[in-house]
Amino acid sequence: MSTLTIETSTVSVIALVGETTIVRRSSDARHHAETLAPLVEELVAEGGRPDLIVAGTGPAAFTGLRAGLVTARALARAWNVPLVGIGSLEILGRTALDSGTGPVVAVGDARRKEVYAAEMVPLGVDDVTVTWGPEVLSPHMLATRGPGRYVGPGAALYADILAGGTDLEISPEAMVRLAKSRMSRADAGEPLDLGTEPLYLRRPDIG
């Protein structure tokens, strides 16, 4: 079984996860619509069509997030495969927890001198429990929550405020593990939302 992962909260990170993992990344965080289709086409040509699609649902900028989710929905319909949505900060947090202990605060760049943030702890080896967030707030306000392990693009951008925060690349394998954990929990009767409604946290810029 192979899984296509699509995450566009920053640059486009597309992967086909199966016996091996094939990853494609764009270098442009502003032209997701133009880069997604060629990246997916490359993956499918190399690894075949997937059996499952997992998409990051944000929070993130309006344009990139919309492009990723529209692409994921269109592909799921065309290929008649299941589609699962996972919060982008949860993906980032699970990636960080794979190489350290919790809790961890996943931090995205919300622009306007603000960040997206959520704190989480491990739930087993594949999932996370969010203890607060996601929220949009200033780095200074986030720092008042107390010392923490800050990871992600927002943490690196404001490392002087967020106690040495560091960036890290999301793990497509972590995305797949999160999705399969949520699917199993939902099948067992937990009221989990596996949908792909985008999480913006604030209204998009106009003009």
Side-chain angles (χ1 to χ4, degrees):
M1 180 176 180
S2 63
T3 303
L4 176 70
T5 64
I6 299 176
E7 168 56 31
T8 56
S9 60
T10 53
V11 298
S12 296
V13 182
I14 316 298
L16 194 64
V17 181
E19 292 184 2
T20 60
T21 299
I22 311 168
V23 182
R24 297 288 184 271
R25 292 181 173 87
S26 73
S27 58
D28 190 340
R30 294 184 178 272
H31 295 90
H32 296 278
E34 295 88 347
T35 59
L36 275 172
L39 292 175
V40 172
E41 186 176 358
E42 284 183 24
L43 286 180
V44 172
E46 186 170 347
R49 287 188 179 182
D51 305 290
L52 171 69
I53 299 175
V54 182
T57 59
F62 178 81
T63 303
L65 191 55
R66 179 180 59 182
L69 293 177
V70 167
T71 298
R73 292 169 187 159
L75 292 172
R77 286 195 299 269
W79 295 335
N80 192 29
V81 297
L83 170 62
V84 174
I86 301 290
S88 299
L89 293 179
E90 295 172 77
I91 298 165
L92 188 60
R94 183 63 261 179
T95 299
L97 289 167
D98 284 345
S99 59
T101 59
V104 64
V105 181
V107 189
D109 178 14
R111 302 177 186 174
R112 305 183 196 172
K113 298 182 179 180
E114 292 180 321
V115 294
Y116 302 116
E119 182 186 71
M120 59 206 75
V121 294
L123 179 60
V125 296
D126 295 323
D127 214 329
V128 296
T129 296
V130 176
T131 52
W132 61 257
E135 299 177 21
V136 58
L137 67 172
S138 72
H140 289 285
M141 183 62 69
L142 177 57
T144 65
R145 298 284 178 92
R149 182 184 170 209
Y150 301 103
V151 298
L157 183 61
Y158 297 103
D160 56 331
I161 301 170
L162 299 175
T166 57
D167 199 0
L168 80 166
E169 294 184 349
I170 64 148
S171 163
E173 292 89 352
M175 286 184 72
V176 175
R177 287 163 40 220
L178 278 164
K180 291 183 177 180
S181 173
R182 303 282 169 89
M183 293 169 74
S184 295
R185 291 165 58 195
D187 288 343
E190 288 192 46
L192 296 173
D193 180 8
L194 303 180
T196 56
E197 285 302 311
L199 179 61
Y200 296 122
L201 293 188
R202 67 186 182 198
R203 297 174 64 84
D205 293 326
I206 306 277

